[in-house]
Amino acid sequence: MEILKLKPVFKDYIWGGQRLKTDFAFESDYEKLAEGWMLSCHKDGMNTIENGEYKGETLDSVIEKLGKENIVGKRSLDFPYFPVLIKLIDAKDNLSIQVHPDNEYAKRVEGEFGKTEIWYVLDATDDAQLVYGFKDKISSDEFRKAIEENTLMDVLNSVKVKKGDLFFIEAGTVHAIGKGTLIAEIQQNSNSTYRVYDYGRLGADGKPRELHIDKAVDVSVTEPPKYEIKPFGDTVISDNADSTLLTKCDLFTVNHYDVKTSIKLTANDESFNHVLVVNGEGSINDTAFNKGDSFFVPAGYGEYTISGNCEVIITNI
């Protein structure tokens, strides 16, 4: 089976900007382009295939047709549906303060899996900040009181960010992307989000956006984050490409490659590879690509080559 080029799904949330258009040359009629869903089999937005035999079909339908184990890989049998969702996010304004449930709570309450995710910062303005957990450990009652008394920002942990930072955000971690950040997000295939605080903003309908206080209090881990703000591995320098392990956990493994000439990678029977081009240009085998292109390498494909002067993020399970 051939490598599949994926067409992104776009979202026009109120906090979005223009960088997905200006930096990545994405075309959309949306005035604001907040997110590009680069690998998605989620009901809220599914990628279609742009090349080859399956052009015009959704990735989800091709997986169903050819078999999950054959395309997604043997590890996919541990998951009831496609396991990951990958996005590019442009935050011109602050996102809401939010939290995601874990698997147990989400399956019981929302009918889908929870959401653990990572953020890899592709770019950030000098004053960009993120919210990442709490400054100090507090009780759930103190958390609710801070929300009710509008003192939540006093107890949350705000972090200045820069290009190359890596945030591992377990389900239950209260968080928010701040304005001025451009991020690649790799997450569980879930869209369950509980909004805690939204700066009093109005949605597209002119009404305040819904908050989910009770659910947020139920699922939040009200303490400082336990992970450092950096990739899980050190950068390995070579003549062909510098490689960095961004994250390795039981949900996904993510690597960043700064390609100088070419590298050979392998998609074995255990897992697909997803290739996201976040900078530069080059080719995957004989197919040329540009910044913002997204490719699904089926499980069992074997060896493939990425050539050029580019940065790519490779995700598997």
Side-chain angles (χ1 to χ4, degrees), residues 56-317:
E57 299 185 44
T58 65
L59 176 60
D60 188 64
S61 68
V62 172
I63 291 170
E64 184 175 356
K65 181 188 303 182
L66 300 181
K68 184 168 73 169
E69 182 177 355
N70 297 327
I71 306 304
V72 187
K74 293 179 181 178
R75 289 199 193 107
S76 71
L77 301 179
D78 295 335
F79 303 89
Y81 49 78
F82 194 83
V84 295
L85 176 59
I86 297 177
K87 304 174 181 178
L88 290 173
I89 298 175
D90 172 26
K92 185 178 181 182
D93 199 357
N94 294 322
L95 277 68
S96 61
I97 309 297
Q98 56 190 239
V99 66
H100 307 300
D102 63 15
N103 287 340
E104 186 280 325
Y105 190 96
K107 284 189 285 186
R108 175 166 51 85
V109 176
E110 306 297 343
E112 68 173 1
F113 268 68
K115 185 175 173 183
T116 287
E117 62 193 355
I118 68 165
W119 294 337
Y120 181 63
V121 180
L122 300 175
D123 198 13
T125 57
D126 291 341
D127 59 349
Q129 295 190 0
L130 303 179
V131 170
Y132 187 41
F134 289 77
K135 293 177 182 176
D136 301 295
K137 185 174 182 178
I138 63 174
S139 69
S140 293
D141 288 341
E142 289 172 318
F143 179 34
R144 183 185 291 275
K145 183 178 180 181
I147 297 170
E148 293 172 346
E149 296 182 353
N150 200 29
T151 59
L152 180 61
M153 298 306 294
D154 294 337
V155 299
L156 292 176
N157 179 42
S158 293
V159 181
K160 185 174 174 60
V161 296
K162 64 183 184 305
K163 180 179 179 179
D165 282 347
L166 188 286
F167 292 78
F168 187 86
I169 304 166
E170 281 188 314
T173 304
V174 177
H175 61 276
I177 299 173
K179 63 182 179 180
T181 50
L182 185 67
I183 282 175
E185 178 179 278
I186 294 89
Q187 59 163 92
Q188 285 181 272
N189 187 10
S190 170
N191 208 23
S192 291
T193 297
Y194 301 148
R195 193 178 294 123
V196 180
Y197 177 69
D198 198 35
Y199 312 97
R201 291 183 296 199
L202 303 180
D205 59 0
K207 299 177 181 178
R209 297 203 295 172
E210 182 183 6
L211 302 180
H212 314 93
I213 304 303
D214 290 338
K215 289 180 177 179
V217 171
D218 281 346
V219 306
S220 294
V221 178
T222 53
E223 58 188 48
K226 60 184 179 182
Y227 295 97
E228 295 184 72
I229 303 168
K230 65 177 185 178
F232 280 27
D234 295 328
T235 298
V236 179
I237 307 295
S238 77
D239 292 339
N240 295 332
D242 301 340
S243 61
T244 308
L245 174 65
L246 298 184
T247 296
K248 184 176 180 62
C249 64
D250 58 354
L251 299 168
F252 39 70
T253 297
V254 187
N255 285 277
H256 175 275
Y257 294 91
D258 188 350
V259 181
K260 306 166 189 176
T261 55
S262 67
I263 55 170
K264 293 185 181 298
L265 301 170
T266 301
N268 59 31
D269 292 338
E270 295 296 315
S271 173
F272 69 92
N273 284 8
H274 179 257
V275 180
L276 177 60
V277 184
V278 295
N279 203 14
E281 57 186 23
S283 63
I284 182 167
N285 289 349
D286 296 326
T287 300
F289 60 60
N290 295 297
K291 182 177 179 177
D293 283 343
S294 170
F295 297 92
F296 183 89
V297 185
Y301 182 88
E303 189 175 81
Y304 61 98
T305 301
I306 294 176
S307 303
N309 184 5
C310 57
E311 294 179 52
V312 295
I313 292 174
I314 310 293
T315 301
N316 54 50
I317 58 172

Side-chain angles (χ1 to χ4, degrees), residues 3-22:
I3 295 174
L4 306 176
K5 185 179 181 184
L6 304 179
K7 183 178 182 179
V9 176
F10 297 122
K11 302 292 181 178
D12 64 339
Y13 305 132
I14 61 173
W15 43 262
Q18 300 296 317
R19 293 194 64 177
L20 297 185
K21 294 181 180 181
T22 58

